[in-house]
Amino acid sequence: GAVVSQHPSWVICKSGTSVKIECRSLDFQATTMFWYRQFPKQSLMLMATSNEGSKATYEQGVEKDKFLINHASLTLSTLTVTSAHPEDSSFYICSARARTGVGEQFFGPGTRLTVL
Amino acid sequence: DAKTTQPTSMDCAEGRAANLPCNHSTISGNEYVYWYRQIHSQGPQYIIHGLKNNETNEMASLIITEDRKSSTLILPHATLRDTAVYYCIVRVGHNAGNMLTFGGGTRLMVKP
């Protein structure tokens, strides 16, 4: 099956710093990538949808200036959490939708962010 | 997308079949039923999907009622590694181009 990777798998940072998370589709081209956030014991919540070469579409309540998304190529999307605060600590998961075939979504393994 | 209702949690003995129900009484004719699972601290994993016929693959079977208002995911011989949160999602096929909307899911605990 298609593989989606995320890097890093976990990160600890100080409050006020910025953190970049990468999402890559390893063996397929992804026209669309999705970013989710999951707090402990809660379900996944969609943050934004990004299409290659265009601006991301953010869900209501998600600050686009705080969570910067760049989908520069068909295999890479990045999420930058700017000026991170402890309340941004969460599990961030990306998924990628294939350009060809039936367009199913494949999920990455997630990145656990802890802001001190 | 139609809303789904799942039990919050279920237990299953190792080696026995795990039957996970899902209600989707407002499902539309062009909406599929998808099942994903999420093992602790990992990304969701696709299991199976169907429209109206029962489906089976190497992981599980999906039984959809004739009126399509509910479905059951069956893990025929549950193992400890099947302990996870199972999400039932209803949406308009792969090519809708839209995101998957996750509900609360069912936390399945497989016990030895």
Side-chain angles (χ1 to χ4, degrees):
Chain A
V3 178
V4 176
S5 71
Q6 283 185 239
H7 178 79
S9 55
W10 60 271
V11 57
I12 301 173
C13 70
K14 293 182 179 180
S15 185
T17 60
S18 295
V19 174
K20 179 184 284 188
I21 302 170
E22 293 185 349
C23 176
R24 293 181 185 273
S25 55
L26 298 185
D27 50 2
F28 67 99
Q29 292 184 326
T31 50
T32 305
M33 288 187 172
F34 305 90
W35 287 95
Y36 294 81
R37 179 168 55 180
Q38 186 176 33
F39 293 108
K41 297 189 177 182
Q42 295 187 22
S43 189
L44 286 79
M45 296 297 294
L46 180 71
M47 299 175 66
T49 302
S50 74
N51 293 297
E52 186 263 342
S54 63
K55 291 183 178 180
T57 302
Y58 291 81
E59 294 300 300
Q60 191 173 9
V62 178
E63 301 175 56
K64 62 180 181 180
D65 294 330
K66 180 171 182 61
F67 299 98
L68 302 179
I69 292 173
N70 186 317
H71 192 161
S73 75
L74 286 171
T75 60
L76 173 65
S77 176
T78 60
L79 167 68
T80 301
V81 182
T82 62
S83 187
H85 289 95
E87 58 265 30
D88 298 322
S89 298
S90 188
F91 192 49
Y92 291 86
I93 304 168
C94 73
S95 72
R97 189 170 77 93
R99 183 182 190 185
T100 57
V102 296
E104 181 53 284
Q105 287 186 33
F106 302 95
F107 285 83
T111 296
R112 185 160 303 282
L113 170 63
T114 302
V115 184
L116 302 177
Chain B
D1 291 342
K3 182 178 179 179
T4 62
T5 305
Q6 299 177 252
T8 305
S9 63
M10 292 181 65
D11 289 346
C12 177
E14 187 179 19
R16 304 297 293 270
N19 298 290
L20 292 92
C22 179
N23 286 321
H24 30 78
S25 59
T26 60
I27 192 170
S28 299
N30 61 346
E31 289 182 311
Y32 289 72
V33 180
Y34 287 78
W35 283 84
Y36 282 77
R37 73 178 182 184
Q38 186 180 25
I39 295 171
H40 183 62
S41 293
Q42 297 184 24
Q45 176 189 21
Y46 166 82
I47 300 173
I48 200 168
H49 77 280
L51 182 62
K52 53 184 177 181
N53 296 324
N54 297 337
E55 302 288 345
T56 296
N57 62 21
E58 64 277 4
M59 289 183 68
S61 294
L62 174 60
I63 308 299
I64 303 174
T65 59
E66 192 169 344
D67 63 7
R68 303 210 321 123
K69 293 182 183 296
S70 66
S71 61
T72 301
L73 178 75
I74 301 173
L75 307 179
H77 305 287
T79 70
L80 298 179
R81 287 178 293 181
D82 292 321
T83 293
V85 178
Y86 288 76
Y87 296 99
C88 170
I89 300 170
V90 173
R91 70 162 187 171
V92 182
H94 295 309
N95 287 325
N98 292 324
M99 67 291 183
L100 293 164
T101 302
F102 288 82
T106 296
R107 187 172 298 274
L108 176 68
M109 179 73 71
V110 181
K111 297 183 176 181

